[in-house]
Amino acid sequence: MDANSGSMHLVMVPFLAFGHILPFAELARRMALQGHRVTLLSAPRNTRRLIAIPPDLEAHFRVVDVPLPRIEGLPEDAEANIDLPSDDLRPCLRRAFDTAFSAKLSEILQAPAPPSSRPDWVLIDYAAYWAPAAAATHGVPCAFLSMFGAAALGFFGPPAALMGHSREHLSTTPERFTSVPDYVTFPTTVKFRAHERRAMFKPGMIPDASEVSEGYRMAKSIEGSKLVGVRSSVAFEPEWLQLVGELYRKPVIPLGMFPPPPTQDVGGHEAALEWLDGQAAPRSVVYVAFGSEAKLTGAQLRAIALGLEASGMPFLWAYRAPAAADSGNEGGGLPEGFEERVSGQGLVCRGWVPQVRILAHGSVGGFLTHAGLNSVTEGLARGVRLVLLPLLFDQGLNARLLVEKKVAVEVARDEEDGSFTAQDVAAALRRVMVEDGSEEIGAKVRELAEVLGSDEVNDQCVRDFLRCLSDYSRQQQG
């Protein structure tokens, strides 16, 4: 730490997923604006795709590219989950991440450098479970930055539970995931459905080809960190933040939601924004997108398409086709004649879409989404009502919480197999946008947007977190 300015050098290690790199980079930008020096580690292709350092922050924010090694089974250009043709290859990417990023972090920690350049903290994602021990050998503390909300963290329990070492909070049996844990003392519906449990238990709790489970990674990252920052807000889930602090028995600090500013380049989608400009009624359009991780099946995409059509709502869909083998027809997963039939109602956009710009547009009032925390944050920060179709990981838990908070409606699904129909999609859209009760949802969303979308509030959360890091460092030096 610079004794004169009080500025710190913070090394950040996000995992190789868009939903983790993007919020880490946004948090890095906000910390650099506070005068701290930030070094963010990323694979080269992700740097080019996702990270743009503002010219006025180049002295405080740098990205170190970490090339990935060749790993058997990993496609040559795969540097993030979105690049994998199959979810079965995720362990290969994790192995490459472990090998390359642990070596680079050790190199940074061991490099001879002036005291002012020495890292004061290593800020880690859930996957970098090896980082706390490596940093500790050089006297550098770690902080865990959770890109999962407090409800998800609270549901999974303390680190010992994630590793199967705690009888009191056991969370390594499949049945445990479909009931609210006994240690949650307030009323809630936050739990997985049967189909969600089956989809996440094996990849989440069983060791994979990277030799450890996802749950183990997160547990060791939390256990070895001196404090925990959670992408959350006391205005949104105060009861869960308090519970997580009690379970972890270490400081848990809300980081705010820090949504990115709507300043993206439109990337060739000028026509889409012009289409939004031409909508007669404000807040009437439903934006549809399901993130970078989920690979929807052809049947799911067709149900969504027919549901959008049946709803009668104007919509803009950031469409990603299913795998070629699953498309089911020559339309890339869309029903035959769909785009022609909805030409006056909706717009289908393929490829990358400037989501933040679209959600900030005055014509957009609803968001059909997978309930990933990035998308939820971007929607709520702009006062957009949510229709939820959770698909992976913590998304089911996020969806239950958002429905509880009365800012969203979830698409009805079969409890056992997770299937849904076009009618289910249309019904959820109408409930959120036009039916009785939709205005109550709109009012709740607008109220929450004043906090979650406020730069002043979010930057104060970042300052509070930085102060906790600084105070800890001073205590250790004293």
Side-chain angles (χ1 to χ4, degrees):
M1 188 179 338
D2 189 310
N4 295 320
S5 67
S7 70
M8 296 177 287
H9 179 200
L10 310 168
V11 175
M12 304 181 77
V13 190
F15 182 56
L16 302 173
F18 281 21
H20 293 247
I21 298 167
L22 285 168
F24 261 73
E26 176 60 20
L27 182 58
R29 183 185 72 84
R30 290 177 184 256
M31 293 193 298
L33 281 169
Q34 300 295 329
H36 299 278
R37 287 162 298 135
V38 182
T39 299
L40 189 146
L41 307 188
S42 184
R45 191 171 175 218
N46 295 330
T47 299
R48 295 193 300 272
R49 290 185 287 190
L50 301 177
I51 305 173
I53 300 175
D56 60 329
L57 290 181
E58 288 178 351
H60 290 89
F61 182 3
R62 71 175 181 133
V63 177
V64 173
D65 283 338
V66 184
L68 299 183
R70 297 300 302 272
I71 297 288
E72 184 178 355
L74 187 66
E76 186 172 350
D77 292 330
E79 294 188 2
N81 282 342
I82 195 174
D83 303 323
L84 301 177
S86 167
D87 290 344
D88 294 338
L89 298 179
R90 289 178 188 269
C92 300
L93 187 64
R94 287 192 281 270
R95 283 175 53 210
F97 170 78
D98 292 341
T99 301
F101 281 67
S102 62
K104 176 55 71 174
L105 179 62
S106 293
E107 178 186 315
I108 291 171
L109 292 166
Q110 294 172 22
S116 61
S117 296
R118 181 176 182 271
D120 293 291
W121 283 87
V122 178
L123 309 182
I124 61 172
D125 206 344
Y126 84 97
Y129 70 104
W130 31 261
T137 62
H138 299 277
V140 178
C142 276
F144 173 61
L145 301 188
S146 175
M147 297 299 106
F148 307 102
L153 295 179
F155 179 86
F156 285 119
L162 284 164
M163 291 187 285
H165 299 161
S166 168
R167 292 185 179 181
E168 181 184 0
H169 300 138
L170 188 63
S171 65
T172 52
T173 58
E175 295 72 24
R176 146 77 172 81
F177 289 102
T178 48
S179 59
V180 177
D182 292 341
Y183 54 79
V184 178
T185 57
F186 45 85
T188 185
T189 58
V190 172
K191 60 182 179 179
F192 286 108
R193 305 199 193 285
H195 65 90
E196 295 166 340
R197 177 197 72 198
R198 285 192 295 274
M200 68 77 58
F201 182 77
K202 182 178 178 181
M205 297 299 155
I206 304 298
D208 57 32
S210 72
E211 300 182 353
V212 295
S213 70
E214 294 276 70
Y216 183 87
R217 287 174 181 274
M218 188 160 76
K220 293 298 288 185
S221 297
I222 296 165
E223 186 179 64
S225 293
K226 300 303 180 184
L227 53 83
V228 172
V230 183
R231 192 182 186 192
S232 187
S233 165
V234 291
F236 183 49
E237 44 179 356
E239 68 279 25
W240 288 102
L241 284 163
Q242 181 177 336
L243 175 64
V244 173
E246 294 167 358
L247 292 172
Y248 290 178
R249 298 177 184 175
K250 60 183 65 183
V252 172
I253 301 104
L255 297 168
M257 305 296 275
F258 50 91
T263 54
Q264 295 169 306
D265 183 89
V266 298
H269 285 288
E270 290 85 359
L273 291 172
E274 289 173 6
W275 182 84
L276 289 172
D277 290 340
Q279 297 303 304
R283 297 289 188 182
S284 61
V285 176
V286 176
Y287 173 62
V288 185
F290 298 97
S292 60
E293 298 280 318
K295 296 176 174 63
L296 284 85
T297 67
Q300 288 174 324
L301 288 166
R302 286 189 285 278
I304 291 165
L306 294 173
L308 289 168
E309 183 179 2
S311 75
M313 303 289 162
F315 67 87
L316 192 156
W317 189 356
Y319 180 78
R320 290 175 60 210
D326 191 39
S327 65
N329 60 28
E330 295 181 358
L334 291 174
E336 186 176 352
F338 170 74
E339 289 186 78
E340 292 77 10
R341 292 196 305 274
V342 301
S343 61
Q345 175 190 352
L347 193 63
V348 177
C349 298
R350 290 169 172 81
W352 179 87
V353 172
Q355 178 164 298
V356 178
R357 286 281 295 273
I358 289 171
L359 287 168
H361 196 284
S363 292
V364 176
F367 186 10
L368 174 55
T369 172
H370 59 308
L373 194 56
N374 275 352
S375 291
V376 165
T377 296
E378 291 163 8
L380 290 179
R382 304 301 162 194
V384 175
R385 308 170 196 188
L386 304 175
V387 180
L388 306 175
L389 188 68
L391 299 166
L392 295 169
F393 312 132
D394 59 324
Q395 294 163 12
L397 304 179
N398 296 342
R400 309 298 109 76
L401 179 69
L402 291 159
V403 172
E404 270 185 19
K405 300 293 183 182
K406 295 183 170 57
V407 294
V409 166
E410 197 171 342
V411 175
R413 302 172 74 169
D414 183 277
E415 182 77 20
E416 291 300 318
D417 66 15
S419 62
F420 58 92
T421 67
Q423 290 72 30
D424 295 325
V425 174
L429 289 169
R430 287 193 291 264
R431 280 183 61 196
V432 163
M433 298 296 288
V434 296
E435 290 183 355
D436 291 345
S438 62
E439 276 307 312
E440 180 185 355
I441 294 173
K444 288 276 188 182
V445 169
R446 289 191 295 273
E447 180 182 331
L448 202 53
E450 292 182 7
V451 178
L452 303 188
S454 165
D455 277 339
E456 181 180 348
V457 172
N458 282 291
D459 286 342
Q460 184 59 54
C461 289
V462 172
R463 285 193 290 271
D464 291 344
F465 175 68
L466 290 167
R467 186 175 64 251
C468 289
L469 298 181
S470 180
D471 288 348
Y472 180 91
S473 295
R474 287 195 176 95
Q475 290 169 8
Q476 298 305 112
Q477 292 169 1

